[in-house]
Amino acid sequence: MKSVNDLARNEGARAASVACLLPARNGGSLRLLAGGPALPFSGSSASEVKTLLNGYDGKLIKLATVEGVDWYGAPSGQGAGAEAMKREVAAAGWRFVQQEGSGYFFVRGAEKIVITSEMWTGRYVLFRIPANTL
């Protein structure tokens, strides 16, 4: 049986079915969508987001605003996305304090924000930024 990692590496070779269920260690099942991993926000399709992210020019790309959160993305290679995010947040007046795991901590006067990141499809990093920060 192929691992989830093997299946993810072969993303270009789409399965004929819409989804498959794989056994998980906890006794449940893991749902793997044929189009790749699900987006962490609603309102856009994976193909729309990939098209937007493929237009990356060194600046973060705004993908959606959902429930008080702006979602931005960038390619994941060599930490360029994280550096672009820190640069753009600093340009908006925020000072980078530290990173803890996927969380980036910023301050501006007495205000504090935490921006979190997550890998999506292994090729892109998505940033969850409080709305109207940038």
Side-chain angles (χ1 to χ4, degrees):
M1 176 183 237
K2 288 188 175 187
S3 71
V4 171
N5 289 335
D6 292 334
L7 292 170
R9 274 193 287 275
N10 294 322
E11 180 182 343
R14 307 244 185 235
S17 63
V18 173
C20 63
L21 294 178
L22 302 172
R25 290 184 191 170
N26 64 5
S29 61
L30 173 67
R31 185 178 178 95
L32 179 68
L33 300 176
L39 287 164
F41 55 86
S42 60
S44 299
S45 72
S47 63
E48 291 169 328
V49 169
K50 286 180 185 178
T51 298
L52 287 171
L53 291 171
N54 286 333
Y56 179 74
D57 64 357
K59 297 184 103 178
L60 291 181
I61 297 170
K62 188 170 185 178
L63 305 170
T65 299
V66 180
E67 297 178 8
V69 174
D70 289 336
W71 287 93
Y72 286 83
S76 63
Q78 310 268 324
E83 290 306 313
M85 179 272 297
K86 289 192 283 186
R87 186 174 54 250
E88 291 183 41
V89 174
W94 295 89
R95 184 176 57 84
F96 176 68
V97 177
Q98 68 183 21
Q99 179 183 354
E100 289 184 23
S102 65
Y104 298 82
F105 295 79
F106 293 86
V107 296
R108 181 172 66 187
E111 296 177 276
K112 297 178 183 180
I113 59 168
V114 178
I115 294 173
T116 56
S117 65
E118 63 182 87
M119 289 297 296
W120 182 65
T121 76
R123 297 181 63 193
Y124 307 102
V125 61
L126 304 181
F127 297 99
R128 184 182 193 277
I129 300 177
N132 303 313
T133 297
L134 297 181

mmCIF file of all heavy atoms in Angstrom, residues 67-100:
data_model
loop_
_atom_site.group_PDB
_atom_site.id
_atom_site.type_symbol
_atom_site.label_atom_id
_atom_site.label_comp_id
_atom_site.label_asym_id
_atom_site.label_seq_id
_atom_site.Cartn_x
_atom_site.Cartn_y
_atom_site.Cartn_z
ATOM 1 N N GLU A 67 -14.093 35.543 7.872
ATOM 2 C CA GLU A 67 -14.322 35.673 9.313
ATOM 3 C C GLU A 67 -13.205 36.439 10.025
ATOM 4 O O GLU A 67 -12.629 35.976 11.001
ATOM 5 C CB GLU A 67 -14.508 34.287 9.937
ATOM 6 C CG GLU A 67 -15.724 33.560 9.406
ATOM 7 C CD GLU A 67 -15.887 32.163 9.977
ATOM 8 O OE1 GLU A 67 -15.144 31.785 10.903
ATOM 9 O OE2 GLU A 67 -16.772 31.450 9.482
ATOM 10 N N GLY A 68 -12.886 37.625 9.526
ATOM 11 C CA GLY A 68 -11.906 38.473 10.190
ATOM 12 C C GLY A 68 -10.458 38.069 9.986
ATOM 13 O O GLY A 68 -9.580 38.552 10.700
ATOM 14 N N VAL A 69 -10.215 37.200 9.028
ATOM 15 C CA VAL A 69 -8.852 36.741 8.750
ATOM 16 C C VAL A 69 -8.562 36.923 7.273
ATOM 17 O O VAL A 69 -9.357 36.530 6.422
ATOM 18 C CB VAL A 69 -8.684 35.248 9.135
ATOM 19 C CG1 VAL A 69 -7.323 34.725 8.705
ATOM 20 C CG2 VAL A 69 -8.881 35.049 10.626
ATOM 21 N N ASP A 70 -7.418 37.537 6.976
ATOM 22 C CA ASP A 70 -6.941 37.620 5.603
ATOM 23 C C ASP A 70 -5.989 36.446 5.372
ATOM 24 O O ASP A 70 -5.087 36.208 6.178
ATOM 25 C CB ASP A 70 -6.183 38.932 5.356
ATOM 26 C CG ASP A 70 -7.095 40.148 5.336
ATOM 27 O OD1 ASP A 70 -8.298 39.996 5.050
ATOM 28 O OD2 ASP A 70 -6.581 41.252 5.604
ATOM 29 N N TRP A 71 -6.200 35.731 4.283
ATOM 30 C CA TRP A 71 -5.328 34.620 3.909
ATOM 31 C C TRP A 71 -4.437 35.069 2.766
ATOM 32 O O TRP A 71 -4.922 35.553 1.746
ATOM 33 C CB TRP A 71 -6.155 33.409 3.495
ATOM 34 C CG TRP A 71 -6.803 32.730 4.650
ATOM 35 C CD1 TRP A 71 -8.047 32.952 5.145
ATOM 36 C CD2 TRP A 71 -6.222 31.710 5.464
ATOM 37 N NE1 TRP A 71 -8.284 32.134 6.220
ATOM 38 C CE2 TRP A 71 -7.178 31.364 6.437
ATOM 39 C CE3 TRP A 71 -4.986 31.059 5.472
ATOM 40 C CZ2 TRP A 71 -6.935 30.385 7.404
ATOM 41 C CZ3 TRP A 71 -4.741 30.086 6.427
ATOM 42 C CH2 TRP A 71 -5.712 29.767 7.383
ATOM 43 N N TYR A 72 -3.139 34.930 2.963
ATOM 44 C CA TYR A 72 -2.142 35.271 1.952
ATOM 45 C C TYR A 72 -1.327 34.018 1.663
ATOM 46 O O TYR A 72 -1.269 33.092 2.485
ATOM 47 C CB TYR A 72 -1.198 36.364 2.459
ATOM 48 C CG TYR A 72 -1.801 37.736 2.512
ATOM 49 C CD1 TYR A 72 -2.576 38.150 3.584
ATOM 50 C CD2 TYR A 72 -1.582 38.640 1.476
ATOM 51 C CE1 TYR A 72 -3.121 39.419 3.635
ATOM 52 C CE2 TYR A 72 -2.132 39.920 1.522
ATOM 53 C CZ TYR A 72 -2.888 40.298 2.595
ATOM 54 O OH TYR A 72 -3.435 41.564 2.639
ATOM 55 N N GLY A 73 -0.647 33.994 0.522
ATOM 56 C CA GLY A 73 0.177 32.853 0.184
ATOM 57 C C GLY A 73 1.384 33.243 -0.631
ATOM 58 O O GLY A 73 1.480 34.354 -1.163
ATOM 59 N N ALA A 74 2.316 32.277 -0.717
ATOM 60 C CA ALA A 74 3.537 32.433 -1.500
ATOM 61 C C ALA A 74 4.121 31.047 -1.717
ATOM 62 O O ALA A 74 3.792 30.105 -0.986
ATOM 63 C CB ALA A 74 4.535 33.317 -0.758
ATOM 64 N N PRO A 75 4.996 30.899 -2.698
ATOM 65 C CA PRO A 75 5.699 29.618 -2.841
ATOM 66 C C PRO A 75 6.521 29.344 -1.581
ATOM 67 O O PRO A 75 6.967 30.274 -0.907
ATOM 68 C CB PRO A 75 6.613 29.839 -4.051
ATOM 69 C CG PRO A 75 5.971 30.935 -4.814
ATOM 70 C CD PRO A 75 5.335 31.822 -3.776
ATOM 71 N N SER A 76 6.741 28.077 -1.276
ATOM 72 C CA SER A 76 7.391 27.728 -0.021
ATOM 73 C C SER A 76 8.906 27.640 -0.093
ATOM 74 O O SER A 76 9.557 27.539 0.923
ATOM 75 C CB SER A 76 6.834 26.392 0.488
ATOM 76 O OG SER A 76 7.143 25.365 -0.454
ATOM 77 N N GLY A 77 9.494 27.675 -1.263
ATOM 78 C CA GLY A 77 10.920 27.428 -1.404
ATOM 79 C C GLY A 77 11.833 28.395 -0.678
ATOM 80 O O GLY A 77 11.648 29.605 -0.738
ATOM 81 N N GLN A 78 12.826 27.856 0.029
ATOM 82 C CA GLN A 78 13.932 28.599 0.631
ATOM 83 C C GLN A 78 13.486 29.676 1.630
ATOM 84 O O GLN A 78 14.215 30.637 1.844
ATOM 85 C CB GLN A 78 14.782 29.238 -0.470
ATOM 86 C CG GLN A 78 15.188 28.308 -1.574
ATOM 87 C CD GLN A 78 16.532 27.655 -1.302
ATOM 88 O OE1 GLN A 78 17.409 28.269 -0.752
ATOM 89 N NE2 GLN A 78 16.675 26.407 -1.691
ATOM 90 N N GLY A 79 12.308 29.554 2.214
ATOM 91 C CA GLY A 79 11.859 30.525 3.198
ATOM 92 C C GLY A 79 11.483 31.881 2.618
ATOM 93 O O GLY A 79 11.268 32.841 3.356
ATOM 94 N N ALA A 80 11.409 31.979 1.282
ATOM 95 C CA ALA A 80 11.107 33.264 0.641
ATOM 96 C C ALA A 80 9.735 33.791 1.054
ATOM 97 O O ALA A 80 9.554 34.997 1.228
ATOM 98 C CB ALA A 80 11.188 33.136 -0.881
ATOM 99 N N GLY A 81 8.758 32.914 1.194
ATOM 100 C CA GLY A 81 7.415 33.341 1.580
ATOM 101 C C GLY A 81 7.401 33.962 2.966
ATOM 102 O O GLY A 81 6.787 35.013 3.177
ATOM 103 N N ALA A 82 8.089 33.331 3.911
ATOM 104 C CA ALA A 82 8.133 33.866 5.276
ATOM 105 C C ALA A 82 8.850 35.213 5.300
ATOM 106 O O ALA A 82 8.420 36.138 6.003
ATOM 107 C CB ALA A 82 8.810 32.876 6.214
ATOM 108 N N GLU A 83 9.920 35.338 4.539
ATOM 109 C CA GLU A 83 10.643 36.615 4.494
ATOM 110 C C GLU A 83 9.785 37.706 3.855
ATOM 111 O O GLU A 83 9.777 38.846 4.326
ATOM 112 C CB GLU A 83 11.966 36.451 3.749
ATOM 113 C CG GLU A 83 12.988 35.633 4.524
ATOM 114 C CD GLU A 83 13.244 36.159 5.938
ATOM 115 O OE1 GLU A 83 13.438 37.391 6.098
ATOM 116 O OE2 GLU A 83 13.231 35.351 6.879
ATOM 117 N N ALA A 84 9.042 37.365 2.803
ATOM 118 C CA ALA A 84 8.140 38.342 2.177
ATOM 119 C C ALA A 84 7.064 38.771 3.166
ATOM 120 O O ALA A 84 6.737 39.967 3.262
ATOM 121 C CB ALA A 84 7.506 37.749 0.914
ATOM 122 N N MET A 85 6.511 37.822 3.927
ATOM 123 C CA MET A 85 5.477 38.150 4.903
ATOM 124 C C MET A 85 6.039 39.095 5.964
ATOM 125 O O MET A 85 5.436 40.134 6.268
ATOM 126 C CB MET A 85 4.934 36.869 5.546
ATOM 127 C CG MET A 85 3.868 37.091 6.603
ATOM 128 S SD MET A 85 4.496 37.359 8.281
ATOM 129 C CE MET A 85 5.311 35.815 8.614
ATOM 130 N N LYS A 86 7.200 38.782 6.525
ATOM 131 C CA LYS A 86 7.786 39.633 7.555
ATOM 132 C C LYS A 86 8.096 41.032 7.008
ATOM 133 O O LYS A 86 7.859 42.037 7.690
ATOM 134 C CB LYS A 86 9.047 38.988 8.138
ATOM 135 C CG LYS A 86 8.735 37.769 8.996
ATOM 136 C CD LYS A 86 9.916 37.305 9.808
ATOM 137 C CE LYS A 86 10.903 36.544 8.973
ATOM 138 N NZ LYS A 86 11.994 35.951 9.793
ATOM 139 N N ARG A 87 8.583 41.106 5.799
ATOM 140 C CA ARG A 87 8.896 42.390 5.170
ATOM 141 C C ARG A 87 7.630 43.238 4.993
ATOM 142 O O ARG A 87 7.606 44.435 5.305
ATOM 143 C CB ARG A 87 9.578 42.126 3.822
ATOM 144 C CG ARG A 87 10.096 43.340 3.112
ATOM 145 C CD ARG A 87 10.896 42.995 1.848
ATOM 146 N NE ARG A 87 10.177 42.136 0.911
ATOM 147 C CZ ARG A 87 10.479 40.851 0.655
ATOM 148 N NH1 ARG A 87 11.492 40.263 1.240
ATOM 149 N NH2 ARG A 87 9.765 40.162 -0.207
ATOM 150 N N GLU A 88 6.540 42.620 4.513
ATOM 151 C CA GLU A 88 5.305 43.365 4.260
ATOM 152 C C GLU A 88 4.608 43.777 5.556
ATOM 153 O O GLU A 88 4.043 44.863 5.640
ATOM 154 C CB GLU A 88 4.387 42.560 3.350
ATOM 155 C CG GLU A 88 4.966 42.453 1.944
ATOM 156 C CD GLU A 88 4.068 41.724 0.973
ATOM 157 O OE1 GLU A 88 2.840 41.943 1.011
ATOM 158 O OE2 GLU A 88 4.612 40.948 0.170
ATOM 159 N N VAL A 89 4.658 42.918 6.574
ATOM 160 C CA VAL A 89 4.061 43.278 7.865
ATOM 161 C C VAL A 89 4.868 44.411 8.505
ATOM 162 O O VAL A 89 4.297 45.353 9.062
ATOM 163 C CB VAL A 89 3.953 42.039 8.779
ATOM 164 C CG1 VAL A 89 3.473 42.423 10.171
ATOM 165 C CG2 VAL A 89 2.998 41.009 8.168
ATOM 166 N N ALA A 90 6.193 44.356 8.391
ATOM 167 C CA ALA A 90 7.038 45.438 8.922
ATOM 168 C C ALA A 90 6.746 46.756 8.198
ATOM 169 O O ALA A 90 6.702 47.816 8.830
ATOM 170 C CB ALA A 90 8.513 45.058 8.790
ATOM 171 N N ALA A 91 6.506 46.699 6.897
ATOM 172 C CA ALA A 91 6.187 47.908 6.128
ATOM 173 C C ALA A 91 4.864 48.522 6.577
ATOM 174 O O ALA A 91 4.630 49.724 6.387
ATOM 175 C CB ALA A 91 6.145 47.590 4.634
ATOM 176 N N ALA A 92 3.999 47.723 7.189
ATOM 177 C CA ALA A 92 2.719 48.217 7.709
ATOM 178 C C ALA A 92 2.863 48.729 9.149
ATOM 179 O O ALA A 92 1.862 49.020 9.811
ATOM 180 C CB ALA A 92 1.659 47.114 7.645
ATOM 181 N N GLY A 93 4.112 48.807 9.640
ATOM 182 C CA GLY A 93 4.344 49.398 10.957
ATOM 183 C C GLY A 93 4.516 48.418 12.104
ATOM 184 O O GLY A 93 4.631 48.826 13.255
ATOM 185 N N TRP A 94 4.544 47.134 11.827
ATOM 186 C CA TRP A 94 4.689 46.124 12.864
ATOM 187 C C TRP A 94 6.146 45.722 13.000
ATOM 188 O O TRP A 94 6.870 45.649 12.018
ATOM 189 C CB TRP A 94 3.845 44.893 12.536
ATOM 190 C CG TRP A 94 2.377 45.181 12.537
ATOM 191 C CD1 TRP A 94 1.619 45.600 11.488
ATOM 192 C CD2 TRP A 94 1.501 45.087 13.650
ATOM 193 N NE1 TRP A 94 0.328 45.776 11.875
ATOM 194 C CE2 TRP A 94 0.211 45.463 13.202
ATOM 195 C CE3 TRP A 94 1.663 44.732 14.974
ATOM 196 C CZ2 TRP A 94 -0.884 45.489 14.041
ATOM 197 C CZ3 TRP A 94 0.567 44.750 15.813
ATOM 198 C CH2 TRP A 94 -0.695 45.121 15.347
ATOM 199 N N ARG A 95 6.568 45.437 14.236
ATOM 200 C CA ARG A 95 7.933 44.983 14.493
ATOM 201 C C ARG A 95 7.914 43.495 14.806
ATOM 202 O O ARG A 95 7.179 43.047 15.686
ATOM 203 C CB ARG A 95 8.548 45.755 15.660
ATOM 204 C CG ARG A 95 10.013 45.393 15.932
ATOM 205 C CD ARG A 95 10.621 46.241 17.036
ATOM 206 N NE ARG A 95 9.902 46.169 18.297
ATOM 207 C CZ ARG A 95 10.069 45.213 19.226
ATOM 208 N NH1 ARG A 95 10.912 44.226 19.026
ATOM 209 N NH2 ARG A 95 9.365 45.262 20.342
ATOM 210 N N PHE A 96 8.717 42.740 14.065
ATOM 211 C CA PHE A 96 8.820 41.296 14.290
ATOM 212 C C PHE A 96 9.520 41.060 15.622
ATOM 213 O O PHE A 96 10.568 41.641 15.900
ATOM 214 C CB PHE A 96 9.599 40.636 13.148
ATOM 215 C CG PHE A 96 9.842 39.174 13.344
ATOM 216 C CD1 PHE A 96 8.794 38.263 13.303
ATOM 217 C CD2 PHE A 96 11.119 38.697 13.575
ATOM 218 C CE1 PHE A 96 9.008 36.908 13.478
ATOM 219 C CE2 PHE A 96 11.345 37.336 13.758
ATOM 220 C CZ PHE A 96 10.293 36.446 13.710
ATOM 221 N N VAL A 97 8.931 40.184 16.469
ATOM 222 C CA VAL A 97 9.490 39.877 17.780
ATOM 223 C C VAL A 97 10.178 38.523 17.765
ATOM 224 O O VAL A 97 11.348 38.399 18.107
ATOM 225 C CB VAL A 97 8.400 39.924 18.881
ATOM 226 C CG1 VAL A 97 8.963 39.528 20.229
ATOM 227 C CG2 VAL A 97 7.764 41.299 18.938
ATOM 228 N N GLN A 98 9.435 37.492 17.366
ATOM 229 C CA GLN A 98 10.000 36.149 17.360
ATOM 230 C C GLN A 98 9.104 35.193 16.601
ATOM 231 O O GLN A 98 7.948 35.496 16.322
ATOM 232 C CB GLN A 98 10.201 35.627 18.783
ATOM 233 C CG GLN A 98 8.901 35.359 19.536
ATOM 234 C CD GLN A 98 9.145 34.911 20.967
ATOM 235 O OE1 GLN A 98 10.202 35.141 21.532
ATOM 236 N NE2 GLN A 98 8.165 34.274 21.560
ATOM 237 N N GLN A 99 9.679 34.035 16.308
ATOM 238 C CA GLN A 99 8.923 32.946 15.693
ATOM 239 C C GLN A 99 8.933 31.765 16.647
ATOM 240 O O GLN A 99 9.971 31.433 17.222
ATOM 241 C CB GLN A 99 9.558 32.533 14.360
ATOM 242 C CG GLN A 99 8.818 31.386 13.705
ATOM 243 C CD GLN A 99 9.478 30.906 12.423
ATOM 244 O OE1 GLN A 99 10.439 31.496 11.942
ATOM 245 N NE2 GLN A 99 8.960 29.819 11.887
ATOM 246 N N GLU A 100 7.784 31.155 16.821
ATOM 247 C CA GLU A 100 7.660 29.919 17.598
ATOM 248 C C GLU A 100 6.876 28.943 16.747
ATOM 249 O O GLU A 100 5.673 29.119 16.543
ATOM 250 C CB GLU A 100 6.951 30.170 18.927
ATOM 251 C CG GLU A 100 7.787 30.959 19.911
ATOM 252 C CD GLU A 100 7.101 31.108 21.262
ATOM 253 O OE1 GLU A 100 6.215 30.283 21.600
ATOM 254 O OE2 GLU A 100 7.433 32.065 21.965
#
